[in-house]
Amino acid sequence: MSAIKSLQTGHVGLNVTDLDRSVDFYKKVFGFEVAAEGKEEGRRFAFLGADGKLLITLWQQSTGAHPKDRSGLHHLSFQVDSIDIVKEAEQVLRGLDAEFAYDGVVPHGEGVASGGIFFSDPDGIRLEIYAPSGAEGAIAPTEAAPTCGFF
């Protein structure tokens, strides 16, 4: 079998404990729209997206926070066009009392231009919003390892 040539990431499915709370969080932080919902008891879900494209599916089928010490999703990252958009998202998250891994925008590594913010959703799922440039001059939290790998 040859490699698939047109492969790209589709949507990401996340288990959540409280669908309404998570939908509200993702709409406020990312500006997602609800494309579809399932409201049947025991089968609640929401499809979230932007510009007609499905990006995230939320499934209410968990009973606890996402553990960092288990195999599975490390973090979910979203790229934006500028560091100003990252900073705007940071302010929204601060208003939601989100938990941040680092204080403010940090670079992906010492001396690199790309960087962003690292935080958790209401269920402890680690998230990142970053821009490809604009973090020049900021100090990386760890010099010897990628910032996005160890939070």
Side-chain angles (χ1 to χ4, degrees):
M1 179 178 185
S2 63
I4 300 171
K5 302 281 190 248
S6 63
L7 186 64
Q8 62 180 313
T9 302
H11 70 276
V12 174
L14 302 173
N15 284 339
V16 299
T17 58
D18 181 329
L19 185 66
D20 296 329
R21 175 184 70 181
S22 292
V23 166
D24 185 57
F25 177 86
Y26 282 87
K27 283 172 60 177
K28 286 179 179 173
V29 174
F30 297 100
F32 290 151
E33 300 167 354
V34 177
E37 285 184 277
K39 298 184 180 192
E40 179 184 335
E41 190 58 39
R43 300 186 62 79
R44 297 194 63 216
F45 66 89
F47 291 173
L48 306 177
D51 300 322
K53 182 174 175 144
L54 176 62
L55 298 169
I56 300 285
T57 59
L58 301 175
W59 308 95
Q60 184 174 300
Q61 55 188 17
S62 297
T63 58
H66 183 75
K68 294 179 185 176
D69 65 346
R70 302 284 192 276
S71 295
L73 178 72
H74 181 275
H75 75 284
L76 180 57
S77 177
F78 295 91
Q79 180 178 325
V80 296
D81 292 334
S82 73
I83 210 73
D84 289 334
I85 297 170
V86 174
K87 290 176 181 178
E88 289 172 14
E90 178 187 5
Q91 293 311 307
V92 170
L93 287 158
R94 292 206 183 279
L96 296 172
D97 293 324
E99 180 182 325
F100 286 84
Y102 309 110
D103 188 31
V105 173
V106 295
H108 282 129
E110 195 61 37
V112 301
S114 65
I117 54 175
F118 300 85
F119 58 97
S120 296
D121 83 350
D123 286 301
I125 297 170
R126 295 181 292 188
L127 302 168
E128 169 188 9
I129 300 174
Y130 80 96
S133 63
E136 300 92 340
I139 298 170
T142 306
E143 286 186 36
T147 301
C148 62
F150 298 93
F151 73 98

